[in-house]
């Protein structure tokens, strides 16, 4: 049997945290479901740019010439080229992360067929809403705080609603004949029970993008040397300067000989001493490689397999890829239905509250005055506070607020 006083205490804080977090959770769930369609939206936009009509009898420009055309039209220095087996415009890339921009060159006409940035589509607004509530750095931290409390909500919810009175059927059945309050409460509880583990995995995949937790995680990777090897991006590797550099076309031949799976990208040398790099984006992640070549001789300077990547980085990349539904159809549908069920669970919580709340009262669950917080609970809260710093700060603020209110009441009574 569960400790009923402890159960009531957890229920009180589950309720309060849920009421504060619920509007944000709904936004994250809806925008997350929509953002899963990002690859399809971007694919349509890119295909319009890349689509070309081969001109009979016209010789295609070689890759070196196409690079020169693209560089003339790019404000930033180009850093990569994407290989394609199809008869489409060639993609050259400048910038990184949010500043990444693709310039496409028609190999027949030698003209720019178009440019593309992620922010060119309406999906960019969805991303900003999902990741930072359109609030910049402050919004990012609010999302991180809500995600931290979601972990607590899931853990407390599992304990509170585990069917110790209804038996195991409580996780399979929803009572629809016992009133609206019971119906919506069961919808919330049963749905939450079945997606709880998935939600924790999805949240784990989102935390690496956060400011505080993500920054701390990167620090741990650095200290424990469990991130990418220093040479993964070519740092510390130096080409032996020769008389003549390899042309981009010669590098393409070398890259194709590697027979890598997925989308192959050739990283261009940043200076006369740096290297060419050949990498591939594919799933499973274990098939990804990074190979560096001397830009003069073409010899292999460093060959990296996925096994060379540190364990924390591998876990991070797996979780982030899962969070975005990148492992194929099963992953995409699993995340989409999880987002839909999270929305249903959140809405049912609102109706459950409305049907149980008394008029002119907030309906916050009461806790017996005799309940004492154990050392185990305190240790658990401290561990969660250290793991999720914004959650820890919020708990401290809640405790300080309670202390101040208690002090004011004593002052008035005196």
């Amino acid at each position: 049997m569960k400790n009923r006083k402890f159960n009531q205490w957890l229920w009180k804080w589950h309720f309060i945290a849920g009421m504060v977090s619920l509007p944000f959770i709904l936004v994250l769930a809806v925008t997350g479901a929509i953002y899963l369609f990002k690859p399809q939206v971007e694919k349509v936009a890119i295909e319009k740019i890349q689509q070309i009509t081969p001109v009979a009898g016209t010789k295609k420009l070689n890759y070196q010439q196409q690079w020169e055309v693209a560089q003339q039209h790019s404000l930033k220095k180009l850093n990569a080229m994407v290989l394609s087996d199809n008869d489409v415009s060639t993609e050259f890339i400048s910038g990184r992360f949010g500043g990444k921009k693709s310039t496409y060159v028609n190999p027949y006409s030698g003209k720019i067929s178009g440019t593309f940035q992620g922010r060119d589509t309406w999906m960019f607004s969805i991303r900003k809403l999902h990741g930072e509530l359109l609030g910049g750095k402050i919004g990012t931290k609010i999302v991180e705080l809500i995600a931290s409390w979601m972990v607590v909500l899931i853990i407390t919810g599992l304990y509170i609603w585990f069917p110790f009175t209804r038996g195991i059927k409580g996780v399979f059945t929803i009572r629809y004949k016992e009133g609206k309050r019971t119906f919506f409460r069961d919808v919330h509880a049963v749905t939450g029970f079945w997606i709880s583990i998935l939600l924790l995995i999805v949240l784990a995949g989102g935390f690496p993008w956060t400011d505080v937790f993500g920054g701390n995680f990167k620090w741990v990777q650095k200290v424990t040397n469990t991130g990418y090897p220093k040479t993964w991006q070519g740092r510390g590797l130096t080409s032996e300067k020769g008389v003549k550099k390899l042309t981009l076309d010669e590098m393409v031949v070398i890259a194709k000989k590697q027979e890598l799976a997925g989308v192959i990208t050739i990283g261009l040398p940043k200076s006369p001493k740096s290297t060419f790099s050949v990498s591939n984006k594919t799933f499973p992640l274990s098939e990804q490689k990074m190979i560096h070549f001397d830009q003069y001789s073409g010899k292999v300077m460093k060959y990296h397999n996925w096994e060379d990547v540190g364990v924390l980085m591998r876990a991070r990349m797996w979780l982030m890829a899962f969070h975005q539904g990148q492992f194929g159809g099963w992953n995409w549908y699993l995340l989409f239905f999880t987002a839909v069920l999270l929305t249903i669970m959140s809405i049912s919580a609102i109706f459950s509250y409305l049907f149980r709340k008394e008029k002119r009262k907030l309906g916050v669950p009461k806790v017996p005055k005799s309940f004492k917080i154990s050392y185990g609970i305190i240790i658990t809260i401290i561990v969660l506070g250290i793991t999720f710093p914004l959650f820890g700060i919020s708990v401290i603020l809640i405790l300080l607020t309670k202390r101040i209110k208690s002090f004011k009441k004593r002052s008035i009574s005196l």
Side-chain angles (χ1 to χ4, degrees):
M1 293 292 293
K2 295 197 295 183
N3 184 319
R4 290 187 177 275
K5 291 181 181 179
F6 177 53
N7 198 74
Q8 288 173 299
W9 182 80
L10 281 182
W11 165 225
K12 174 185 175 180
W13 287 106
H14 181 86
F15 173 86
I16 293 173
M19 290 300 293
V20 174
S21 305
L22 199 57
F24 301 102
I25 293 174
L26 276 170
V27 171
L28 294 177
V30 174
T31 55
I34 296 172
Y35 197 65
L36 286 170
F37 291 91
K38 172 180 173 282
Q40 292 90 329
V41 172
E42 290 190 348
K43 183 180 179 181
V44 171
I46 292 172
E47 282 181 345
K48 290 180 181 178
I49 297 172
Q50 279 197 301
Q51 190 174 17
I52 59 176
T53 302
V55 181
T58 302
K59 186 178 179 181
K60 293 171 65 175
L61 295 179
N62 61 40
Y63 288 111
Q64 187 71 23
Q65 292 171 323
Q66 292 180 58
W67 169 79
E68 291 170 358
V69 171
Q71 187 60 71
Q72 289 174 1
H73 290 79
S74 177
L75 297 176
K76 295 182 179 179
K77 187 176 180 180
L78 301 174
N79 53 42
M81 184 190 81
V82 180
L83 290 183
S84 177
D85 294 328
N86 301 321
D87 206 0
V88 295
S89 295
T90 306
E91 179 183 3
F92 292 90
I93 300 170
S94 63
R96 297 177 65 196
F97 308 119
K100 180 180 175 182
K101 181 178 181 180
S102 293
T103 301
Y104 297 89
V105 178
N106 186 323
Y108 291 99
S109 66
K111 296 181 179 179
I112 303 296
S113 59
T115 60
F116 178 82
Q117 281 185 290
R119 63 185 65 198
D120 290 342
T121 71
W122 55 273
M123 270 295 172
F124 182 73
S125 297
I126 297 296
R127 174 191 169 189
K128 300 291 279 186
L129 183 57
H130 183 75
E132 56 188 58
L133 304 173
L134 302 179
K137 286 290 184 181
I138 295 175
T140 302
K141 289 178 175 60
I142 292 174
V143 170
E144 182 177 353
L145 177 61
I146 297 303
S148 302
W149 272 100
M150 279 184 71
V151 174
V152 177
L153 283 168
I154 293 167
I155 295 172
T156 55
L158 284 172
Y159 184 91
I160 294 167
W161 294 109
F162 194 76
F164 68 103
T165 54
R166 294 184 60 210
I168 196 66
K169 69 178 182 179
V171 298
F172 292 101
T173 59
I174 294 173
R175 293 168 290 181
Y176 56 90
K177 293 182 179 180
E178 298 182 24
K180 293 178 180 179
R181 174 186 170 184
T182 300
F183 170 75
F184 284 112
R185 184 180 65 181
D186 282 0
V187 169
H188 176 74
V190 174
T191 304
F193 179 85
W194 286 108
I195 66 172
S196 57
I197 302 302
L198 270 174
L199 280 177
L200 287 173
I201 296 173
V202 171
L203 286 169
F207 274 115
W209 276 293
T210 59
D211 290 344
V212 183
F213 178 93
N216 291 342
F217 191 85
K218 290 175 183 176
W219 177 81
V220 172
Q221 281 184 176
K222 185 177 180 180
V223 171
T224 58
N225 195 29
T226 51
Y228 279 116
K230 291 182 179 179
T231 52
W232 186 270
Q233 295 297 336
R235 284 181 294 174
L237 301 178
T238 305
S239 293
E240 297 177 9
K241 196 168 183 178
V243 177
K244 186 181 178 183
K245 297 179 181 179
L246 292 175
T247 66
L248 190 50
D249 295 84
E250 289 171 328
M251 193 61 236
V252 168
V253 173
I254 294 173
K256 288 182 177 179
K257 286 181 179 179
Q258 308 308 310
E259 297 183 347
L260 302 180
V263 178
I264 301 171
T265 300
I266 297 178
L268 306 174
K270 298 176 183 177
S271 71
K273 292 185 177 181
S274 56
T275 62
F276 275 110
S277 62
V278 176
S279 60
N280 64 322
K281 184 176 181 180
T282 187
F283 295 93
L285 291 170
S286 57
E287 295 298 317
Q288 293 191 6
K289 303 180 188 300
M290 175 68 80
I291 314 169
H292 294 281
F293 298 88
D294 187 296
Q295 65 170 300
Y296 299 94
S297 65
K299 73 176 183 179
V300 176
M301 301 290 291
K302 196 72 178 180
Y303 193 106
H304 279 304
N305 288 309
W306 188 244
E307 289 74 19
D308 297 327
V309 180
V311 62
L312 286 185
M313 179 58 80
R314 276 188 277 172
R316 173 184 170 185
M317 295 304 292
W318 191 97
L319 288 167
M320 289 171 74
F322 181 86
H323 184 91
Q324 298 176 91
Q326 295 180 336
F327 286 109
W330 68 269
N331 187 187
W332 192 94
Y333 282 108
L334 192 62
L335 283 183
F336 182 77
F337 285 118
T338 298
V340 171
L341 290 175
L342 177 59
T343 303
I344 293 172
M345 183 178 74
S346 301
I347 293 173
S348 63
I350 295 173
F351 281 103
S352 177
Y353 165 70
L354 292 175
F355 284 119
R356 69 173 285 275
K357 187 179 80 71
E358 297 178 18
K359 288 184 178 181
R360 297 179 181 178
K361 289 186 178 181
L362 285 175
V364 179
K366 295 181 180 179
V367 180
K369 293 182 179 180
S370 59
F371 174 74
K372 300 292 182 181
I373 299 175
S374 68
Y375 288 113
I377 298 172
I378 295 172
I379 292 171
T380 301
I381 293 173
I382 291 173
V383 170
L384 286 170
I386 294 172
T387 306
F388 307 108
L390 293 187
F391 165 75
I393 292 171
S394 68
V395 170
I396 292 172
L397 291 175
I398 290 170
L399 292 175
L400 286 174
T401 302
K402 288 186 69 178
R403 288 285 185 183
I404 291 170
K405 286 184 177 180
S406 178
F407 178 76
K408 285 183 177 179
K409 286 182 179 179
R410 288 178 183 176
S411 300
I412 293 171
S413 63
L414 292 172

